Amino acid sequence: MVLVSSGRTPRSCKQFEADTTVLYHSTAISKKNFQATVYCGNVRQTAVIVTMDKELVRTNERALITFRFIKQPEYLQVGSRLVLRDGRNKGIGIGIITKVTPYQHSSSLLTDT
């Protein structure tokens, strides 16, 4: 549940794009099977990398990365700051959300049989 102004139309998203800076990673981040925990306001959920504008991103490099949440959609706003964490205690990156893709419910799940 999200509290917003009556003038807004809140939409949840399952996929979003962020301008991300990698603060630390022991090797490099690639889009192949990479998962990180995303912290953004009250959101805390694991996300996978869908696309990146670079092949690899190493420590102190920036990239435009598209993430997809694993579990449920969340409410995010463009311009919000986020923190990425890998593993148990490594903060690996920070970023700013640049694009949010609104979540569309699958109609096949809503039909009665």
Side-chain angles (χ1 to χ4, degrees):
M1 180 180 287
V2 178
L3 233 81
V4 294
S5 162
S6 61
R8 290 194 163 198
T9 309
R11 299 282 313 262
S12 61
C13 73
K14 191 118 175 166
Q15 189 167 307
F16 65 95
E17 185 178 84
D19 184 14
T20 309
T21 303
V22 176
L23 299 176
Y24 172 78
H25 197 272
S26 57
T27 57
I29 295 173
S30 67
K31 75 173 193 172
K32 183 180 179 185
N33 298 325
F34 187 81
Q35 295 183 357
T37 304
V38 175
Y39 295 89
C40 182
N42 63 339
V43 174
R44 180 185 69 210
Q45 190 178 158
T46 303
V48 295
I49 293 178
V50 179
T51 60
M52 291 192 328
D53 65 348
K54 297 180 178 179
E55 192 67 31
L56 294 173
V57 184
R58 300 182 193 284
T59 300
N60 295 327
E61 290 184 351
R62 286 175 70 175
L64 201 57
I65 302 175
T66 303
F67 294 95
R68 182 177 32 83
F69 287 124
I70 289 184
K71 292 183 182 177
Q72 72 268 3
E74 299 282 0
Y75 177 69
L76 297 176
Q77 293 181 6
V78 173
S80 298
R81 295 178 183 268
L82 60 88
V83 175
L84 300 173
R85 186 177 59 86
D86 183 26
R88 287 200 167 268
N89 56 6
K90 299 245 185 214
I92 61 164
I94 57 174
I96 296 177
I97 296 174
T98 57
K99 181 179 164 187
V100 173
T101 306
Y103 177 67
Q104 298 293 325
H105 293 285
S106 175
S107 60
S108 64
L109 296 176
L110 300 176
T111 58
D112 292 334
T113 55

